[in-house]
Amino acid sequence: MACRVLFDKDAVITCPFGPRVHPVTGARSSHNGVDVVGAGHTLASITAHTAGTVEYAGYNAILGYHINIRLANGDMMQYCHMTKSLQAAVGDAVEEGQIIGTMGSTGSSTGAHLHFGIQKDGQWIDPEPYLYSDYLEDTMTYEDFKAFMDRYEAEQAAKPVSDWAGKNWNALQAEGIFDGTKPQAPLTRQEAAAVICRLRKEK
Ligand SMILES: [Zn+2]
């Protein structure tokens, strides 16, 4: 499977996200993205990891020719050190997999590579887990979901219930209205009307 930021190629990581000594300045700093080249240390066209709107496309001395793409969820993806021939401009809507430029070595760089960054809620995060996978996809695990539902149910149970509603609810539950034993699911219109009338009568 091809890496999502390289056209039709797997990625070789040449520098991971995190603390490092900068190869040009020698200063200790934090590397706020991941550096990749194509499989076999080859060059590649750069493709948009995720669809979004081009917020910046231009040059500076550090990042070289680079493109910032704002995603639908508000996060940002950044592609740096490309050659001058950028293939997307500010305001463009780009699709996932669309070619946006060519791997290069512009700006503060010691060799052709792509520096790819992801800014989530304004903070740079490690993009490596997403090189081959969807970024916006809901990745909640079953354990997360279960914990969420337990919290939700505890919150609901803790909410105060008026006497009349609580009494009727308990009576209807005892009659089997809510557990599917009586009536047969789904609730018929007559049964729904009976529940509403009963609640209204005691209001
Ligand atoms: Zn980098």
Side-chain angles (χ1 to χ4, degrees):
M1 187 174 56
C3 168
R4 291 173 68 111
V5 293
L6 303 179
F7 181 73
D8 210 21
K9 280 190 178 172
D10 286 340
V12 173
I13 293 169
T14 57
C15 185
F17 178 88
R20 71 161 177 185
V21 175
H22 194 279
V24 174
T25 65
R28 283 177 191 283
S29 63
S30 185
H31 187 219
N32 58 16
V34 63
D35 291 347
V36 298
V37 293
H41 292 263
T42 52
L43 305 187
S45 290
I46 305 305
T47 52
H49 182 288
T50 301
T53 304
V54 177
E55 194 169 75
Y56 179 88
Y59 177 87
N60 74 35
I62 304 290
L63 305 177
Y65 285 97
H66 64 286
I67 287 180
N68 296 347
I69 295 178
R70 187 66 59 182
L71 312 184
N73 73 345
D75 292 346
M76 192 266 278
M77 288 184 174
Q78 184 175 62
Y79 307 79
C80 304
H81 309 304
M82 290 187 280
T83 66
K84 195 176 179 179
S85 55
L86 296 178
Q87 291 181 48
V90 172
D92 283 359
V94 296
E95 297 295 326
E96 171 190 325
Q98 184 178 327
I99 292 175
I100 55 172
T102 305
M103 190 179 284
S105 189
T106 59
S108 179
S109 166
T110 54
H113 72 285
L114 169 70
H115 170 102
F116 173 57
I118 301 178
Q119 206 173 59
K120 179 184 175 62
D121 301 327
Q123 302 289 323
W124 295 109
I125 62 163
D126 186 357
E128 193 176 326
Y130 301 104
L131 285 178
Y132 292 87
S133 61
D134 200 318
Y135 177 70
L136 298 178
E137 170 186 53
D138 184 3
T139 53
M140 188 181 258
T141 63
Y142 176 73
E143 284 68 30
D144 290 341
F145 174 72
K146 200 168 173 309
F148 171 82
M149 286 309 293
D150 287 349
R151 272 203 311 279
Y152 175 78
E153 279 170 16
E155 273 172 30
Q156 292 300 310
K159 280 183 180 167
V161 175
S162 67
D163 285 348
W164 66 268
K167 199 167 66 182
N168 279 286
W169 185 271
N170 292 337
L172 290 163
Q173 200 158 35
E175 285 175 22
I177 292 290
F178 298 129
D179 65 8
T181 56
K182 179 196 170 187
Q184 300 299 306
L187 205 69
T188 66
R189 290 168 64 187
Q190 288 87 346
E191 288 156 351
V195 171
I196 292 164
C197 288
R198 183 161 181 174
L199 288 170
R200 284 187 62 183
K201 204 161 61 181
E202 297 204 22
K203 193 163 153 186

